[in-house]
Amino acid sequence: MSDVAIYLNPEAFDTKGRALMGRQSAGESFLRGYLRHSRASQWAFWNVANRKPEALAEMLAELADINRPVTWIPRHDRPGLARAGNVHLPQPNVAREGWRRNMAGLRRGYGVSGITHTTASMDIMDSIADLMTAPVDPWDTLICTSTAVRASVEVELEAVRVDLEERLGATRVPTPSLVTIPLAINTEDFSTTPEQRKAWRERLDIPDDAIVVLYMGRFNAAVKMNPLPMALALETAARRTSKQVFWVQAGWATSEENGRTYHDECRALCPSVGYREVDGREAGTRFSIWSVADLFISLSDNIQETFGLTPLEAMAAGLPGVVSDWDGYRDTLRHGVDGFRAATYAPASGAGRDLAYRHTNDWIGYDLYVGAASQVIAVSVDEAAQGLLDLIENDDLRRRMGRAAQARARSLFDWSAVIPQYEALWDDMAARRAAAGPAPSYPRNVSPNPRRLDPFHLFGGYATEWSSPSTMLMLTPGRTAEDVKALFATKLATFGGFVGPTEAEALAIVERLSGGSQRAIRDLVADTPAGRRPFLERGLLWMVKYDLLTLLPRGAHIG
């Protein structure tokens, strides 16, 4: 088997929907890259969505040649993850899986790796904070996709550590394992041809000699980036050059009305620029639209961004870029080599406590939280305009920077270069786990997850009495096997059927208690296979609930 099981929920990798998200583009790209460049002799996938393996196999076959054996691990089969050795999640919920693994009795059974995408939501911030208190070990790792997002994760973890020490007097606070591995792309997907360029320019009515600046991404000022600084910079550059400048915006909006507002307000700020809109969701467009352009622009200003794939895609297409000096952009595009980065300015620490407070209280939603923060993050329009002008005016500079950008993308940010970093991490995780020795055992009265207690323990005080192995049962007078069969045909008595006995088990219990005998629970389940014994023990109370069996008073219990 592979040394890792890949979490496979199609939603996390589906780029065919009308609401295409960056994490889905990144997920699909990773999956294609893994299938193409993995060294594993066979693959393992965790079927968390409980889909038919045949349908999942078809999805994989659309991405790459399936040229080795595939193992499908059912969603409930955590021992299957242990056989794989590691599991890789397409999100950062390492702590949550740590708790679930603990409840399955597999603390040392397998390693967990997760990855950062957007980290600004409350749910994700909570999942990162939980790394400090969840049962995660040195072989469990959160992959940070950029130096910037790793720094933000470290800030949050340090804040949690200080809180645990000062508020609770904690003396042993772990340091979760973090590693920086960039996102990547399949660079050949973004190779363009003169024929594509000609077709796109004819389709958009753009002259051959015009300079085209391309933006690719969602048309959403609140959760993606505010486009107005791009419009201002383009207008400034267009007024300073004699060349004809066009701005192609390829992307998608959440609604037609939002799209109209986005484009109308952008167009109004750059009247000297030819303005073109393209729906960027179609696969053919996503991979060919780069051919229309001479350079790329993306002035990210939003805290939801952590890496940024589109500057990398532009680099792979041989386009120099003008981008903001923001988050992961500074890890990919080198200022003065592959293009230009315009400075960004954010308020000092402490200036956003009211935003955090409002969001925590649900007075503002996520979109308004990140959007409001972005409104006071400034990108230097002057620096962006100068970078645009330099690239617009100088054909040789565009070509030189475009070649440098393409070479960098192919050598450092193709999945062929990045998948080995993942596999080296999984090897290291497996080695650490193997050297750790046996897992600590939990006493019977200690839960492996104090936040998810057995409901019959947590709410044990609700009932008059608990059942026990010595609880005595008898067949309710007059009940027969026919009553069992009738009950199993009743919907209201059988929803949540996995909690009770099977029909065969119930019939066997009726047979054993026929003739008026009375037996203790321990005796009734003694011959049941060990894996089914706990289910039948509690299932006997299901039979009591529907009057198939009668529970004898406490005095009738045996010791």
Side-chain angles (χ1 to χ4, degrees), residues 233-296:
L234 279 161
E235 178 64 15
T236 299
R239 288 185 178 183
R240 293 178 183 172
T241 183
S242 60
K243 296 185 179 181
Q244 196 173 8
V245 178
F246 282 77
W247 185 15
V248 174
Q249 291 234 52
W252 51 96
T254 53
S255 69
E256 184 175 344
E257 180 182 359
N258 290 341
R260 282 275 60 81
T261 299
Y262 180 100
H263 292 299
D264 289 348
E265 295 191 359
C266 282
R267 189 181 286 108
L269 287 182
C270 54
S272 305
V273 177
Y275 193 91
R276 300 290 187 269
E277 308 165 22
V278 174
D279 188 332
R281 285 171 290 198
E282 298 299 328
T285 298
R286 287 174 54 216
F287 298 122
S288 70
I289 190 62
W290 309 95
S291 64
V292 79
D294 298 288
L295 60 140
F296 174 75

Side-chain angles (χ1 to χ4, degrees), residues 365-377:
Y366 173 74
D367 288 10
L368 184 53
Y369 167 64
V370 297
S374 75
Q375 289 286 39
V376 290
I377 293 167

Side-chain angles (χ1 to χ4, degrees), residues 27 55 59 87 97 148 216 239 322 328 330-331 357 386 397 402 407 436 439 498 512 515 518 539-540:
M59 184 190 82
V87 62
E97 181 56 30
M216 179 71 166
R239 288 185 178 183
V322 175
R330 66 171 62 103
D331 287 357
Y357 184 69
Q386 187 60 54
L397 181 66
F498 65 91
R512 293 188 66 182
Q518 301 175 2
L540 292 172

Side-chain angles (χ1 to χ4, degrees), residues 22 24-34 36-37 115 117 145 181-191 216 286-287 290 296 307-319 332 405-422:
Q24 293 164 327
S25 294
E28 181 197 63
S29 181
F30 163 78
L31 197 52
R32 183 186 290 117
Y34 177 72
R36 291 180 178 181
H37 304 295
I115 187 169
H117 289 297
T145 56
I181 300 177
L183 290 179
I185 58 175
N186 298 286
T187 55
E188 72 273 18
D189 290 346
F190 300 93
S191 299
M216 179 71 166
R286 287 174 54 216
F287 298 122
W290 309 95
F296 174 75
F307 181 79
L309 280 176
T310 53
L312 202 55
E313 293 169 350
M315 292 168 68
L319 298 179
T332 52
Q406 190 171 63
R408 180 171 171 81
R410 289 175 175 176
S411 63
L412 295 180
F413 299 106
D414 188 88
W415 283 115
S416 61
V418 174
I419 288 296
Q421 297 178 52
Y422 277 81

Side-chain angles (χ1 to χ4, degrees), residues 335-391:
H335 181 70
V337 180
D338 311 306
F340 300 100
R341 295 202 308 263
T344 56
Y345 306 95
S349 173
R353 289 180 179 174
D354 63 312
L355 292 177
Y357 184 69
R358 290 170 184 269
H359 188 36
T360 298
N361 283 281
D362 294 320
W363 299 339
I364 59 174
Y366 173 74
D367 288 10
L368 184 53
Y369 167 64
V370 297
S374 75
Q375 289 286 39
V376 290
I377 293 167
V379 182
S380 175
V381 172
D382 286 345
E383 290 186 15
Q386 187 60 54
L388 288 167
L389 185 62
D390 289 347
L391 289 168

Side-chain angles (χ1 to χ4, degrees), residues 98-100 102-103 133-135 442 445-454 457-458:
W99 282 118
R100 292 168 175 170
N102 223 40
M103 293 183 74
T133 54
Y442 286 87
N445 63 340
V446 175
S447 171
N449 186 346
R451 303 181 186 188
R452 300 292 185 273
L453 296 176
D454 173 351
H457 171 57
L458 181 61

